[in-house]
Amino acid sequence: MLNRRDFMKLGLGACLLPAVGCSRAEAVVSETMYVFGTLVGVDVLASDKAAARAAIADVSHAFTRQNRDWHAWKPGALGDLNRAIAAGRTHEVDDDLLPLLHQARDLARASGGLFNPAIGRLVGLWGFHNDEMPVGTPPHADAVAELVAAAPSMDDLVFDGSRVGSRNPQVQLDLGGHAKGVALNQALDRLATRGYADALVNLGGNLAVSGTRGGRPWRIGVRHPQGGHSDLRHSQNGGAIASLEVSGRMAVVTSGTYERYRQHGDRRYPHIIDPRSGQPATHVVSATVLHPDAARADVAATALVVAGAEAWPEVARSMGVSEVMLVDEAGRVQLTPGMAAKLEFVAPPASVTTVEIA
Ligand code: ADP
Ligand code: MG
């Protein structure tokens, strides 16, 4: 079911700010769909609308497969692997999932373990393995401590060709911070293979573009992390904190603590968990990363939220991302010079600090 918020999410993820100069024969063909628990939009520049729609349908089918196969808690290929790991068995992994696991392991290492897709049990313990947002008392401290002490890590995985096992049965894989980035990359690849070199794919506010929008850059809105529902609706700027122009192969991915959380009284426990403490990351409200590789951008955005407002530059450096914007709980913005050069604030933030990470 689509709700108003989903529509806003999509709209704001890709504010295609007005007026496009497309060549006479070409126009933007747009489709929206609901996958990955979010609203998804695909725009391609095309002269043959019907052919473009067929290509987008292909992409849409791939999203549906990926959502099923890589789902963190519903039955599918990843679920099968998780069950085998819990039972101490090895498992044959298919050609789509296997490279994801290798990449997730490499990126987890690069993040110093702040991105850790092996902490599925913790994510589940906090109640996030559910379509509904959890409410009520946080999990018992002992239960959290036990899972932290079990130290599940991607380095526990043992790869033997396409057979995968884990030395640690407490590993439970959750690719929620990575899979959408992979899906974005593959969607652009799939469109390019079919001749659509100018495209924008928006997975619930995480975007990737290729080429241009008829010779002009794609214009993208980065959603204001602290805009509540009504703020977003009534805001003059449609709830965007900033806009930026991107062209060529580029992803703009935002991870935030404002979107999915456990509500208990007036406290919110976000869905991004610090693997070191087992506690939700609360001090950074959002991290936005620009990178040509959407998978790396997705993972880095999650890791930077965990890293927090002081440690993030070091983690960005080790993950090879240099175009970053962080917003903290007080609305203060930190950004790298690379990001500053591309971005325009829609509404002036509480403060803006430029941080060199190189
Ligand atoms: P979104 O999916 O909303 O865009 P993210 O990309 O930040 O947000 O992914 C958050 C998801 O990643 C969580 O819902 C959970 O499934 C998983 N996750 C939570 N904490 C971590 C972590 N420290 N490392 C890796 N994955 C995590
Ligand atoms: Mg992410």
Side-chain angles (χ1 to χ4, degrees):
M1 273 279 286
L2 298 187
N3 55 39
R4 198 190 68 224
R5 190 156 163 257
D6 291 320
F7 278 107
M8 290 193 300
K9 217 163 150 180
L10 189 67
L12 294 169
C15 305
L16 289 170
L17 306 170
V20 252
C22 301
S23 76
R24 190 166 292 172
E26 289 192 316
V28 175
V29 178
S30 298
E31 297 275 357
T32 57
M33 56 209 85
Y34 194 78
V35 213
F36 293 109
T38 191
L39 201 62
V40 172
V42 180
D43 295 355
V44 300
L45 204 67
S47 45
D48 178 342
K49 274 193 183 172
R53 290 198 199 288
I56 296 175
D58 251 18
V59 168
S60 161
H61 292 139
F63 285 153
T64 305
R65 281 198 305 277
Q66 289 162 338
N67 182 49
R68 184 198 58 213
D69 293 346
W70 306 339
H71 208 283
W73 72 87
K74 292 182 183 167
L78 188 66
D80 292 344
L81 174 59
N82 277 332
R83 263 190 293 133
I85 288 173
R89 288 185 277 112
T90 63
H91 185 75
E92 186 74 23
V93 169
D94 66 58
D95 295 346
D96 290 324
L97 181 55
L98 193 61
L100 238 82
L101 298 178
H102 283 286
Q103 188 185 46
R105 183 194 54 188
D106 295 348
L107 290 169
R109 283 179 184 161
S111 76
L114 299 188
F115 168 74
N116 182 357
I119 61 164
R121 288 188 188 218
L122 265 173
V123 178
L125 182 67
W126 278 94
F128 295 112
H129 284 169
N130 203 302
D131 289 327
E132 304 300 322
M133 290 229 268
V135 283
T137 329
H140 199 281
D142 291 349
V144 174
E146 206 174 301
L147 288 181
V148 172
S153 152
M154 292 305 279
D155 284 315
D156 290 323
L157 294 184
V158 182
F159 292 91
D160 176 11
S162 55
R163 285 203 82 78
V164 180
S166 170
R167 292 184 202 95
N168 182 350
Q170 294 292 319
V171 164
Q172 185 181 312
L173 301 169
D174 174 337
L175 298 174
H178 178 211
K180 278 186 269 184
V182 175
L184 282 171
N185 281 339
Q186 293 187 4
L188 287 181
D189 291 345
R190 204 165 253 115
L191 290 169
T193 306
R194 297 190 55 156
Y196 301 99
D198 301 295
L200 179 151
V201 184
N202 180 356
L203 298 190
N206 296 316
L207 295 102
V209 308
S210 61
T212 64
R213 194 176 191 207
R216 295 192 190 175
W218 295 97
R219 190 134 195 226
I220 286 165
V222 178
R223 206 152 33 109
H224 199 297
Q226 281 159 333
H229 293 198
S230 54
D231 289 350
L232 286 172
R233 195 153 41 101
H234 299 301
S235 153
Q236 235 188 335
N237 308 303
I241 184 172
S243 71
L244 40 90
E245 293 191 338
V246 283
S247 53
R249 190 73 183 233
M250 191 57 75
V252 185
V253 178
T254 301
S255 269
T257 55
Y258 52 89
E259 197 144 57
R260 253 174 87 69
Y261 44 79
R262 166 185 281 272
Q263 184 91 41
H264 177 52
D266 55 7
R267 282 209 61 178
R268 283 178 177 183
Y269 300 90
H271 71 142
I272 297 173
I273 314 279
D274 186 335
R276 299 166 296 189
S277 63
Q279 298 297 315
T282 48
H283 298 304
V284 169
V285 293
S286 78
T288 301
V289 175
L290 249 75
H291 195 274
D293 174 358
R296 182 171 294 264
D298 190 0
V299 165
T302 307
L304 296 180
V305 168
V306 177
E310 277 93 48
W312 71 268
E314 196 183 315
V315 177
R317 195 179 310 122
S318 69
M319 297 199 75
V321 297
S322 59
E323 300 183 342
V324 176
M325 173 172 73
L326 226 84
V327 184
D328 74 11
E329 54 200 338
R332 290 177 297 229
V333 170
Q334 296 180 59
L335 76 185
T336 62
M339 182 64 102
K342 289 197 175 140
L343 175 138
E344 233 178 273
F345 287 105
V346 173
S351 73
V352 181
T353 313
T354 307
V355 179
E356 297 273 357
I357 60 164

